[in-house]
Amino acid sequence: MKRIAVVTSGGDAPGMNAAIRAVVKIGLAKGWDVFGVRKGYAGLITGDILPLGEREVSGIIQLGGSMLGSARCPEFKTGDGQRNALSQLERNSIEALVVIGGNGSQTGAHALSRLGFPVVGVASTIDNDLYGSDITIGVDTALNVSLEAIDRLKVTASSHHRAFLVEVMGRKCGYLALMAAIAGGAEAVIVPEQETDPEDVAGELRAAYDNGKAHAIVVVAEGARYNAEEMEHYFQEHQERLGFELRVTRLGHVQRGGAPGSFDRLLGTRSGAAAVELLANGKQGELVGLIKGEIASTPLSDVVANTKTLDMHLLDLARVLAR
Ligand code: ADP
Ligand code: F6P
């Protein structure tokens, strides 16, 4: 192995830069040439590839986002897109690719690997919906951003007889919402994995004040049937009967833009380093993630064939703790 490239794809996540830095530094330490692909798979298709040295990855470990940029690239889902990407890799004499990203990005990595190109994935998405890693790069920082917002909302909630709703990201996965609800001490949580009746949520929020609590907060996953928009609508429609107002905060991309905390810097670093070691050991077609506290790898074929599930016991725990 002489020349490898690294790409970040899909939603950026805090800690991606730490992973890029580790791939570059460990690759260089092995005497390889390391290249970066700009703007995700879009840059791979157009050949937006640049050499990366130690100085290019200096001073980035503490930064959120990705110094290489990222993209959603529908073209890469097509056979033509993937073949164009392969031609660019060949034109630049790249022998292997490290793909840092989430579910969609690793599906793309698997596609390249099936076409015969050596690829190793690094599990990175704030959604934590990727099979093959108990926790992915970016989750911890995104969670801490959500908690800061929830803590602040509690302060103002305590001064008014109002209920507050916080919507967090996660696509179709309720992990961020559930963990934010537990760690933030919320009174209710709504996740896509379980059907929720807004009337029950209203009951839980009312009970919080009736039981003498100073605040009533519900955390909602954006992918839930009753997300922020739907809940706001429901509360407006039934306000007189419900007897209280709901104030809504959608955290949106704010969660993604945080500076990576120590956990994500270390996870990014360890994962990036492990990806290079896999390649050095002649392995490919694998995803690097954190499993039971250890850096481990899972075949990309298993990653794309499986769905990570939410631990429903934690949902029960959240409900008991909310009383
Ligand atoms: P994430 O990787 O964060 O889940 P996306 O789902 O948007 O983000 O995927 C990132 C990119 O991965 C997509 O824009 C596309 O280029 C590529 N991708 C997604 N799904 C596939 C697929 N089924 N086959 C090939 N490439 C895919
Ligand atoms: O996958 C990460 C994520 O932040 C999701 O939580 C969210 O639904 C989506 O990306 C938003 O995508 P975009 O940045 O393309 O609007």
Side-chain angles (χ1 to χ4, degrees):
M1 189 72 60
K2 290 267 190 311
R3 288 161 73 90
I4 65 167
V6 56
V7 64
T8 50
S9 164
D12 60 280
M16 276 184 163
N17 280 327
I20 296 169
R21 175 177 174 269
V23 168
V24 171
K25 291 205 169 195
I26 304 300
L28 292 176
K30 292 192 181 299
W32 301 350
D33 291 328
V34 186
F35 295 79
V37 180
R38 283 205 192 97
K39 301 188 208 87
Y41 288 133
L44 200 56
I45 289 173
T46 57
D48 197 349
I49 297 171
L50 71 158
L52 293 175
E54 267 144 8
R55 289 298 64 82
E56 276 74 33
V57 294
S58 274
I60 64 166
I61 196 166
Q62 76 281 14
L63 302 177
S66 163
M67 58 88 77
L68 290 171
S70 192
R72 313 272 184 201
C73 175
E75 194 187 342
F76 190 76
K77 292 185 184 176
T78 67
D80 277 354
Q82 290 161 19
R83 278 187 291 277
N84 288 340
L86 280 183
S87 325
Q88 294 293 353
L89 288 165
E90 275 157 24
R91 184 177 302 169
N92 287 276
S93 306
I94 307 289
E95 294 161 277
L97 180 69
V98 176
V99 176
I100 303 170
N103 245 323
S105 305
Q106 302 309 337
T107 308
H110 179 57
L112 279 185
S113 162
R114 278 172 51 119
L115 289 170
F117 194 82
V119 182
V120 169
V122 169
S124 177
T125 164
I126 66 161
D127 300 337
N128 208 27
D129 59 350
L130 182 58
Y131 185 86
S133 193
D134 296 340
I135 188 153
T136 48
I137 296 167
V139 172
D140 184 67
T141 304
L143 203 45
N144 280 319
V145 173
S146 311
L147 287 178
E148 196 183 330
I150 291 169
D151 292 349
R152 287 174 184 215
L153 287 171
K154 263 192 188 171
V155 173
T156 178
S158 305
S159 310
H160 295 270
H161 193 71
R162 282 176 188 154
F164 282 78
L165 179 149
V166 191
E167 184 186 87
V168 299
M169 281 186 158
R171 279 196 175 164
K172 284 285 164 204
C173 177
Y175 183 90
L176 273 184
L178 179 54
M179 295 304 147
I182 293 174
E187 279 58 51
V189 59
I190 304 178
V191 293
E193 289 83 353
Q194 193 176 69
E195 220 169 274
T196 304
D197 184 343
E199 204 59 38
D200 291 344
V201 176
E204 286 167 43
L205 296 176
R206 190 184 303 107
Y209 281 126
D210 289 351
N211 292 336
K213 281 202 179 193
H215 49 79
I217 293 181
V218 52
V219 182
V220 180
E222 64 175 356
R225 154 87 176 82
Y226 281 97
N227 59 9
E229 198 183 341
E230 292 296 324
M231 285 296 285
E232 190 168 31
H233 183 67
Y234 188 87
F235 267 70
Q236 273 164 2
E237 216 172 34
H238 300 276
Q239 194 183 319
E240 231 168 86
R241 183 173 53 79
L242 295 175
F244 58 93
E245 294 171 69
L246 186 71
R247 287 288 191 268
V248 171
T249 303
R250 287 185 70 200
L251 291 183
H253 292 81
V254 166
Q255 286 152 103
R256 237 164 60 185
S262 58
F263 185 88
D264 284 321
R265 293 186 202 192
L266 292 171
L267 181 59
T269 300
R270 292 174 73 198
S271 304
V276 175
E277 292 302 343
L278 277 180
L279 291 172
N281 291 329
K283 301 233 175 76
Q284 60 104 0
E286 303 261 320
L287 175 80
V288 175
L290 192 72
I291 301 177
K292 297 191 194 313
E294 302 285 338
I295 297 292
S297 66
T298 306
L300 282 168
S301 51
D302 289 351
V303 171
V304 299
N306 287 283
T307 305
K308 186 145 123 194
T309 52
L310 192 65
D311 183 347
M312 298 309 261
H313 292 111
L314 288 175
L315 195 57
D316 296 338
L317 177 66
R319 299 229 155 99
V320 175
L321 293 172
R323 283 176 203 152

